[in-house]
């Protein structure tokens, strides 16, 4: 009786990588430069006032116009959430009974799907690491999830494959663009002509606000209203709301700070990829703020790095249907991109252990 539902009992707990004497933490794709100074000041100012004694806005109304401005859309609507995880969760609750998605992909997807009682339809990426658009569509799932760029591979989805899915999928097409700020193209504008497209984005990555937990969805007004109902009220805290408003303001300590750090990450991504190749760890083409090196030594290397205070994220059990992962025994190392001094430290420790 006190065991809880079977779906919940069977779920793994999220195990964070954190260690006490960490030199470089490149394990979670957050902003390694920190948070925008304007957001930090906004949180400090709000905490000193009576703000936190009262409830925040019910559905983050003060954020919605700023978010639409940021993504450059006028006709669309916005839903916010406690992280974009909450938007993904609420979308599944609102529309699910089944979900098709590529593997490997964001680890929360099968977990949230099980929690919401959805049937799972995993479809491996192609050998070119693109969506297998035909197979995704053939699942006829109520929700088709696309992660573009994809976590953990960092690879982009081709426009042709995304458009194929959007035109033919049976229901909602949920496009997770957590790394849009680092990608050569985004699919957010597809929302304008396609009522079934829901874009999920986050303030946890390029915006450096992971600790405040804010994400958002954009889509057709009718669809956003349904997701908002499934989400429930008061999901974004008053402090988080102030921080996001400050970060979205065009100022050197706000949005310009965010754009500048994203631009640096893109430059450092290429440098990191080149250096890793030199160390015998070539990476997959990256459109995100991290790189993925398929290597059969991922677990061994990650624990050797960890002993030396450097955190990266090792993967095992990646789908062998995909050639690169068949060759790496299903293992891969995901490494976050940050300031070059941090990357140099990481690379010199890595050079000791490879
Ligand atoms: C990090 C991440 C998210 C979620 O982040 P939140 O902190 O919940 O906003 C969503 N999707 C992908 C692919 C991610 O990598």
């Amino acid at each position: 009786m006190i065991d809880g539902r079977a779906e919940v009992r069977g779920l793994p707990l999220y195990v964070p990588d954190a260690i006490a004497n960490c030199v470089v933490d490149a394990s979670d794709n957050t902003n390694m430069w920190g948070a925008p100074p304007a957001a930090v000041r906004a949180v400090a100012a709000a905490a000193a006032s009576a703000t936190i004694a009262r409830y925040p806005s019910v559905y983050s109304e003060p954020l919605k116009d700023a978010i639409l401005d940021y993504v450059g859309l006028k006709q669309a609507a916005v839903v916010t959430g406690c992280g974009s995880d909450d938007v993904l969760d609420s979308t599944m609750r609102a529309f699910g009974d089944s979900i098709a998605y590529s593997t490997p992909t964001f680890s929360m997807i099968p977990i949230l799907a099980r929690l919401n009682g959805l049937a799972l339809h995993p479809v491996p990426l192609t050998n070119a690491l693109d969506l297998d658009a035909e197979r995704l569509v053939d699942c006829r799932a109520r929700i088709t999830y696309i992660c573009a760029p994809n976590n953990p591979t960092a690879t982009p989805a081709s426009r042709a494959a995304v458009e194929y899915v959007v035109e033919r999928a049976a229901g909602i097409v949920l496009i997770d663009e957590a790394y849009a700020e680092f990608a050569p193209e985004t699919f957010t504008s597809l929302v304008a002509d396609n009522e079934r497209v829901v874009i999920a984005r986050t303030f946890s990555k390029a915006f450096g606000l992971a600790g405040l937990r804010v994400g958002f969805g954009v889509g057709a007004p009718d669809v956003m209203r349904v997701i908002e109902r499934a989400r429930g009220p008061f999901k974004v805290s008053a402090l988080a709301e102030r921080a996001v408003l400050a970060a979205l303001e065009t100022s050197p300590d706000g949005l310009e700070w965010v754009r500048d750090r994203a631009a640096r990450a893109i430059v450092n991504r290429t440098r990191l990829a080149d250096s890793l190749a030199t160390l015998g760890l070539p990476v997959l083409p990256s459109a995100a703020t991290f790189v993925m090196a398929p290597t059969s030594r991922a677990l061994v290397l990650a624990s050797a790095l960890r002993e030396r205070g450097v955190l990266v994220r090792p993967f095992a059990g990646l789908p062998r249907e995909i050639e690169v992962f068949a060759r790496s025994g299903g293992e891969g190392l995901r490494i976050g991109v940050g300031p070059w001094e941090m990357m140099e430290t990481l690379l010199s420790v890595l050079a000791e252990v490879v």
Side-chain angles (χ1 to χ4, degrees):
M1 190 183 73
I2 55 167
D3 283 346
R5 285 165 50 214
E7 298 91 317
V8 178
R9 257 192 345 252
L11 284 177
L13 284 174
Y14 194 90
V15 184
D17 289 322
I19 48 173
N21 54 344
C22 179
V23 184
V24 178
D25 185 350
S27 69
D28 65 6
N29 307 338
T30 50
N31 195 321
M32 289 165 76
W33 281 270
V40 176
R41 287 197 299 269
V43 169
S49 78
T51 322
I52 60 175
R54 310 300 303 265
Y55 281 102
S57 64
V58 187
Y59 297 111
S60 316
E61 298 305 341
L63 290 183
K64 290 184 174 178
D65 282 344
I67 287 172
L68 281 181
D69 263 2
Y70 172 63
V71 297
L73 291 172
K74 292 217 158 49
Q75 304 303 328
V78 170
V79 57
T80 61
C82 175
S84 60
D85 282 6
D86 191 23
V87 174
L88 301 172
D89 186 31
S90 305
T91 305
M92 290 189 204
R93 204 154 47 244
F95 290 98
D97 57 4
S98 51
I99 185 165
Y101 56 97
S102 298
T103 53
T105 201
F106 184 38
S107 60
M108 286 303 292
I109 294 305
I111 293 175
L112 295 173
R114 279 202 201 105
L115 275 175
N116 287 296
L118 274 61
L120 311 186
H121 299 279
V123 175
L125 291 170
T126 66
N127 285 329
L129 300 163
D130 199 358
L131 306 175
D132 192 334
E134 252 176 76
R135 278 188 65 191
L136 284 171
V137 166
D138 285 347
C139 294
R140 309 315 295 158
R142 291 283 300 277
I143 299 176
T144 306
Y145 171 84
I146 293 173
C147 190
N150 186 48
N151 185 2
T153 56
T155 48
S158 71
R159 182 162 285 271
V162 171
E163 285 177 353
Y164 184 98
V165 173
V166 167
E167 278 158 29
R168 296 173 182 78
I172 293 289
V173 180
L174 177 55
I175 308 181
D176 185 340
E177 296 199 304
Y179 302 99
E181 287 80 3
F182 308 98
E185 63 171 347
T186 95
F187 300 107
T188 303
S189 65
L190 288 177
V191 157
D193 313 308
N194 300 278
E195 209 180 22
R196 64 170 73 189
V197 174
V198 175
I199 301 286
R201 292 179 58 167
T202 179
F203 291 102
S204 297
K205 306 290 161 61
F207 278 86
L209 300 174
L212 288 172
R213 314 297 306 121
V214 195
F216 64 93
V218 234
D222 288 350
V223 175
M224 293 299 107
R225 265 192 291 278
V226 178
I227 297 173
E228 204 160 62
R229 279 171 191 255
R231 188 207 78 158
F234 306 126
K235 286 298 193 79
V236 176
S237 79
L239 295 189
E241 190 175 291
R242 303 293 176 95
V244 167
L245 273 179
L248 284 172
E249 216 156 89
T250 308
S251 71
D253 284 352
L255 195 53
E256 289 165 22
W257 185 97
V258 172
R259 294 208 157 113
D260 173 76
R261 297 319 182 272
R264 292 191 209 184
I266 291 168
V267 171
N268 291 356
R269 177 173 83 196
T270 309
R271 286 179 82 182
L272 178 64
D274 292 346
S275 307
L276 287 169
T278 309
L279 289 175
L281 290 170
V283 303
L284 304 179
S286 172
T289 186
F290 57 90
V291 294
M292 162 61 77
T295 164
S296 57
R297 300 174 63 208
L299 299 182
V300 173
L301 288 174
S303 71
L305 288 172
R306 189 187 176 85
E307 277 167 22
R308 291 159 177 81
V310 173
L311 295 181
V312 297
R313 179 71 57 91
F315 286 79
L318 296 167
R320 314 275 180 114
E321 292 93 333
I322 306 166
E323 276 168 12
V324 276
F325 297 128
R327 284 201 298 272
S328 72
E331 288 192 34
L333 216 49
R334 196 189 70 191
I335 304 173
V337 178
W340 191 248
E341 316 81 73
M342 287 189 195
M343 300 292 96
E344 277 179 325
T345 306
L346 183 150
L347 285 163
S348 70
V349 177
L350 187 60
E352 289 168 24
V353 303
V354 284

